[in-house]
C-alpha cells in the first residue's frame, strides 16, 4: 500500500506534460474561431467540416471545443463583440460619459457594417431559444451598461433608461444595408437614440 502512487503524484512529477495539452487546446480553440470568422464571412452557411479543415483540426477536436454549430456561433459572436465592448472603459477614461457613449456607438456601428457578412448567422444563434438564458453574457450589454451607469451618475442620461431599453433602441443598426451609404443613416439613428437618452435633449438646428 505504501508504494502505491496517489492519482495526482504522476501529474506533479511531470508538470511539463500537462501544460502543453492545455496550451494546445487553447490554440485549437483560437484557430477554430479564426477559421469560423473567415469561412462565415465568405459564406454564412459554411459547414462545420469546412471550418475544421481551415483550422487544421479534425471534426472530433472541433466538437470537443464546440458541441454544435450554435455553440460556435455564440462564442464567435461574443468573441468579436468583446473587441468593441472592451473599448467602453477606455473611452470613459478620456471622455465625459455621454460623449464616450456616443463614440462607442460609432464603433459599434462600424463593427456591425464590417461583420455584416456573418451577421445573419450570428443573429440566428443569438436569438435561438437555447441562447436566451445566456443573454446576460452579451458583451454589448456589458459595455452599454458600464457607459449608461456612468452617464446616469453625472445626470447626462435619464435615470430610468435600462440596458434592455438601450439595446432595443439601437437594434436598427443591424438592419442597415452595409452596401448602401450607411454612415449617414447610422449617424442619424444614433443621434436620435442619444437625444432620447439625454435628460436635456439638444434642440434641433434652426432652418
Amino acid at each position: 500500500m505504501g508504494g502505491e502512487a496517489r492519482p495526482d503524484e504522476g501529474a506533479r512529477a511531470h508538470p511539463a506534460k500537462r501544460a502543453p495539452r492545455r496550451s494546445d487546446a487553447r490554440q485549437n480553440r483560437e484557430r477554430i474561431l479564426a477559421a469560423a470568422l473567415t469561412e462565415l464571412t465568405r459564406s454564412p452557411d459554411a459547414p462545420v467540416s469546412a471550418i475544421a479543415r481551415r483550422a487544421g483540426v479534425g471534426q472530433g477536436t472541433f466538437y470537443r471545443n464546440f458541441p454544435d454549430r450554435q455553440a460556435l456561433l455564440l462564442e464567435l459572436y461574443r468573441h468579436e463583440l468583446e473587441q468593441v465592448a472592451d473599448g467602453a472603459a477606455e473611452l470613459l477614461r478620456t471622455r465625459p460619459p455621454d460623449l464616450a457613449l456616443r463614440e462607442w456607438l460609432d464603433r459599434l456601428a462600424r463593427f456591425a457594417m464590417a461583420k455584416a457578412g456573418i451577421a445573419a448567422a450570428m443573429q440566428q444563434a443569438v436569438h435561438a431559444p437555447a441562447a436566451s438564458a445566456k443573454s446576460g453574457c452579451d458583451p454589448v450589454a456589458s459595455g452599454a451598461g458600464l457607459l449608461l451607469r456612468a452617464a446616469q451618475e453625472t445626470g447626462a442620461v435619464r435615470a430610468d433608461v435600462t440596458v434592455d431599453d438601450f439595446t432595443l433602441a439601437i437594434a436598427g443598426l443591424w438592419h442597415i444595408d452595409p452596401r448602401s451609404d450607411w454612415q449617414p443613416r447610422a449617424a442619424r439613428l444614433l443621434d436620435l437614440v442619444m437625444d432620447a437618452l439625454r435628460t436635456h435633449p439638444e434642440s434641433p438646428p434652426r432652418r
Side-chain angles (χ1 to χ4, degrees):
M1 293 179 61
E4 292 182 1
R6 295 181 180 179
D8 60 340
E9 284 182 352
R12 286 200 300 266
H14 303 284
K17 291 184 179 179
R18 300 183 67 186
R21 285 201 292 272
R22 288 196 297 268
S23 176
D24 288 347
R26 183 172 61 251
Q27 289 172 7
N28 283 339
R29 190 176 183 86
E30 291 171 355
R31 282 201 298 269
I32 292 169
L33 287 171
L37 181 59
T38 299
E39 288 295 321
L40 291 169
T41 299
R42 293 173 56 187
S43 171
D45 298 321
V48 164
S49 57
I51 294 170
R53 186 163 54 249
R54 176 172 287 274
V57 301
Q59 291 196 44
T61 298
F62 177 95
Y63 286 116
R64 278 196 296 275
N65 283 276
F66 303 101
D68 53 37
R69 182 184 176 86
Q70 182 178 311
L72 169 67
L73 292 174
L74 284 171
E75 180 63 21
L76 183 61
Y77 176 84
R78 281 190 283 268
H79 182 269
E80 289 297 296
L81 284 183
E82 278 172 1
Q83 297 183 44
V84 177
D86 287 348
E90 170 196 341
L91 288 169
L92 277 178
R93 288 193 292 269
T94 58
R95 292 161 179 73
D98 58 327
L99 298 183
L101 177 59
R102 182 63 182 82
E103 184 168 336
W104 184 77
L105 284 173
D106 284 335
R107 294 186 183 186
L108 184 63
R110 288 194 294 271
F111 167 84
M113 297 302 105
K115 306 301 182 184
I118 57 174
M122 286 184 170
Q123 290 299 313
Q124 182 179 4
V126 170
H127 295 299
S132 60
K134 302 179 182 179
S135 58
C137 299
D138 190 334
V140 169
S142 176
L146 176 66
L147 291 164
L148 274 177
R149 287 189 295 273
Q152 287 168 334
E153 288 172 1
T154 66
V157 167
R158 291 169 45 174
D160 63 335
V161 176
T162 67
V163 174
D164 284 344
D165 294 334
F166 177 82
T167 53
L168 285 172
I170 64 172
L173 279 177
W174 306 102
H175 297 282
I176 297 176
D177 186 349
R179 297 165 297 183
S180 67
D181 187 17
W182 63 266
Q183 290 94 336
R185 293 194 65 190
R188 174 171 169 75
L189 171 66
L190 297 178
D191 284 342
L192 289 171
V193 170
M194 287 302 302
D195 284 347
L197 293 177
R198 288 192 177 99
T199 49
H200 302 290
E202 296 178 358
S203 300
R206 295 182 179 180
R207 297 184 179 181

